[in-house]
Amino acid sequence: MEFAGKKVLILGGGVTGSAVAKIIEEVGAKVRVADEKPLPDFVSHPINDLTNLDYDFAIVSPGWKPSHPLVQALLKANVKLTNEIDLAWHFKGIHCPDQKWIAITGTNGKTTTTELTAAMLNAAGFSANACGNVGTTVIESVFSDKKFEVLVLELSSFQIHWMSEPEFAAVAILNIADDHTDWHGSFEEYTKAKVKLLEHTDIGIINGQDQHLVKSASAWSGRKIYFGLETPAQGQLGLVEELLIDRAFVVDPNEAGAIAELSDVQPTVPHAVANTLAAAGLARAIGADLESINVAIKGFKPGRHRIELALEKDGIRWINDSKATNPHAAQASLFSATSSIWIAGGLAKGADFQELIEKCKKRIKFALLIGTDRELIAKELEKHKIEFYRIDGENVMESAVKKAKELAEAGDTVLMAPACASMDQFKNYSDRGDQFIAAVKKFA
């Protein structure tokens, strides 16, 4: 890929598109950007112009569907399509050929696991950076003056769908549950996008307790290292009583290495423990020692909006888990408490809520429903005779918190884990979480 003097169209002017545009322009390309809101620093291409496509390359941002009319028109015009991850891999080969890449995907837990893996590697003396869907873009990390030895990529199903070039030292797939079927068309296609990541590595760290994932990855012939919350067999990562154990990267396969004590993982909830095992597996694959990994686990604090304690008062815990943007993530949150006043709803993204409510029905004391697709949740709650209230008003989060305060008693958890995306009523999940915390401080 040579860009000097080339005409390049970038599809999408968000975080990824902006970063790519600046770098491609710096290496001599003539850049245009197609977006609903054109970037002020770049010449725009009308998003609905499907005929004037005289470009050498088009770079597709992750959220663009393959079925988008402009994507289809570019393919028909024989314009070469690429993407940020492949582009970053190309420049890595030029500027930092010895840099190692590892990658993490899954329906839930990607960001925390990516950040924890980078922390483990840095504690072990590697220069590592978390990037992709967290922190900086991958292409910016490749061009960083810090010259990172390892990039830890958080990858969405969209990014994996579009990419084809990278080779990873190791990858981890944390879990697969129903999500983004509105983009992929079906759960089967969403699964294929996730499992495709294994084709780009020889070492796969795989959740052995996710039977759908295990079955989906069965045809892949690389080295499978399973992790889970059970006693690990040889070549696996798991739990033995109160210890997280490595039986995959030890010298003697009959021995085991202690990664950490269970209490070192905060919060000590099942999905956090599983994700810590996955992160440790990736760090060990790069060469991190167990002692450094343990130090990183003890010092690690998850990012905001992930089972974040907003307040504990009068025996009631107020928890912000705005990052729970699908049913699978909300299920993990609901299983972290025994009696919840549950604030839920938003944009469902094609998800189904039947399994979530079926599994968590005994833990939901009341539900407070917000957002565009709340009736999908209401329908499932009605089946199980779980009492719920629809929350409306100009400031919906304040109204929800006020109602939760009326309902909550000592021993309850007020849990804002919406199981949906946020953009119908909030800027993003961070804004939703911030509004919840502000309302809790104001009224609780």
Side-chain angles (χ1 to χ4, degrees), residues 84-137:
E84 185 241 345
I85 306 299
D86 286 358
L87 201 60
W89 181 257
H90 166 74
F91 285 119
K92 168 206 170 297
I94 298 169
H95 296 290
C96 40
D98 295 330
Q99 185 181 74
K100 292 182 179 178
W101 285 17
I102 55 179
I104 295 161
T105 196
T107 303
N108 298 303
K110 297 186 293 296
T111 299
T112 299
T113 308
T114 302
E115 291 170 340
L116 178 55
T117 304
M120 290 174 175
L121 290 169
N122 282 310
F126 296 91
S127 171
N129 188 48
C131 59
N133 261 10
V134 58
T136 56
T137 61

Side-chain angles (χ1 to χ4, degrees), residues 47 78 95 113 165 188 231 269 326 388 395 403 437:
I47 200 166
N78 294 317
H95 296 290
T113 308
E165 299 298 327
E188 181 182 358
T231 302
V269 294
N326 56 60
F388 64 89
N395 194 324
K403 187 64 178 178
I437 289 174

Side-chain angles (χ1 to χ4, degrees), residues 253-319:
N254 294 312
E255 294 183 354
I259 298 167
E261 293 187 13
L262 197 57
S263 59
D264 292 336
V265 180
Q266 294 298 325
T268 313
V269 294
H271 68 277
V273 176
N275 293 341
T276 301
L277 288 167
L282 287 170
R284 292 287 278 161
I286 294 297
D289 61 282
L290 289 167
E291 185 177 350
S292 298
I293 287 172
N294 181 252
V295 169
I297 292 169
K298 288 179 176 177
F300 184 74
K301 288 183 171 56
R304 295 202 52 227
H305 310 295
R306 300 170 182 87
I307 313 188
E308 178 184 16
L309 180 64
L311 178 70
E312 187 164 7
K313 185 180 178 183
D314 301 328
I316 301 165
R317 288 166 55 84
W318 298 76
I319 300 292

Side-chain angles (χ1 to χ4, degrees), residues 122-397:
N122 282 310
F126 296 91
S127 171
N129 188 48
C131 59
N133 261 10
V134 58
T136 56
T137 61
V138 182
I139 198 164
E140 288 171 314
S141 299
V142 167
F143 277 89
S144 172
D145 293 336
K146 295 181 180 178
K147 304 297 180 188
F148 297 109
E149 294 174 275
V150 186
L151 295 188
V152 187
L153 281 67
E154 176 192 332
L155 294 178
S156 69
S157 58
F158 307 154
Q159 289 166 306
I160 299 168
H161 170 88
W162 285 113
M163 77 174 202
S164 61
E165 299 298 327
E167 293 297 329
F168 299 102
V171 308
I173 306 182
L174 306 179
N175 43 62
I176 296 181
D178 195 9
D179 198 14
H180 294 302
T181 51
D182 56 341
W183 196 96
H184 291 279
S186 68
F187 181 45
E188 181 182 358
E189 289 302 313
Y190 171 67
T191 299
K192 283 181 183 177
K194 292 291 191 185
V195 174
K196 177 190 167 187
L197 187 61
L198 293 172
E199 298 171 12
H200 296 266
T201 189
D202 294 323
I203 300 175
I205 316 290
I206 296 169
N207 187 341
Q209 293 183 294
D210 185 326
Q211 293 307 308
H212 175 69
L213 170 56
V214 170
K215 183 179 178 182
S216 300
S218 60
W220 178 66
S221 59
R223 181 186 176 193
K224 298 185 182 83
I225 297 169
Y226 293 110
F227 68 90
L229 305 182
E230 297 174 349
T231 302
Q234 285 185 9
Q236 297 182 358
L237 304 154
L239 286 182
V240 177
E241 296 180 351
E242 299 297 308
L243 290 176
L244 281 70
I245 294 295
D246 170 19
R247 294 195 67 192
F249 297 97
V250 288
V251 176
D252 185 343
N254 294 312
E255 294 183 354
I259 298 167
E261 293 187 13
L262 197 57
S263 59
D264 292 336
V265 180
Q266 294 298 325
T268 313
V269 294
H271 68 277
V273 176
N275 293 341
T276 301
L277 288 167
L282 287 170
R284 292 287 278 161
I286 294 297
D289 61 282
L290 289 167
E291 185 177 350
S292 298
I293 287 172
N294 181 252
V295 169
I297 292 169
K298 288 179 176 177
F300 184 74
K301 288 183 171 56
R304 295 202 52 227
H305 310 295
R306 300 170 182 87
I307 313 188
E308 178 184 16
L309 180 64
L311 178 70
E312 187 164 7
K313 185 180 178 183
D314 301 328
I316 301 165
R317 288 166 55 84
W318 298 76
I319 300 292
N320 165 32
D321 196 13
S322 186
K323 191 74 163 65
T325 58
N326 56 60
H328 188 260
Q331 180 181 314
S333 285
L334 285 163
F335 267 77
S336 70
T338 55
S339 175
S340 289
I341 314 297
W342 179 38
I343 301 173
L347 294 173
K349 300 177 292 179
D352 184 276
F353 297 92
Q354 181 177 348
E355 183 179 354
L356 168 65
I357 306 304
E358 176 64 39
K359 288 186 174 180
C360 299
K361 59 189 177 186
K362 293 182 180 178
R363 295 171 181 265
I364 303 169
K365 187 174 181 180
F366 297 101
L368 308 178
L369 302 184
I370 63 175
T372 300
D373 293 327
R374 65 186 181 184
E375 293 308 314
L376 298 174
I377 303 174
K379 184 176 76 170
E380 298 303 325
L381 293 169
E382 285 174 341
K383 288 180 185 176
H384 297 283
K385 297 181 171 55
I386 298 170
E387 194 170 352
F388 64 89
Y389 301 87
R390 295 175 179 87
I391 304 298
D392 295 299
E394 190 172 324
N395 194 324
V396 69
M397 197 55 77

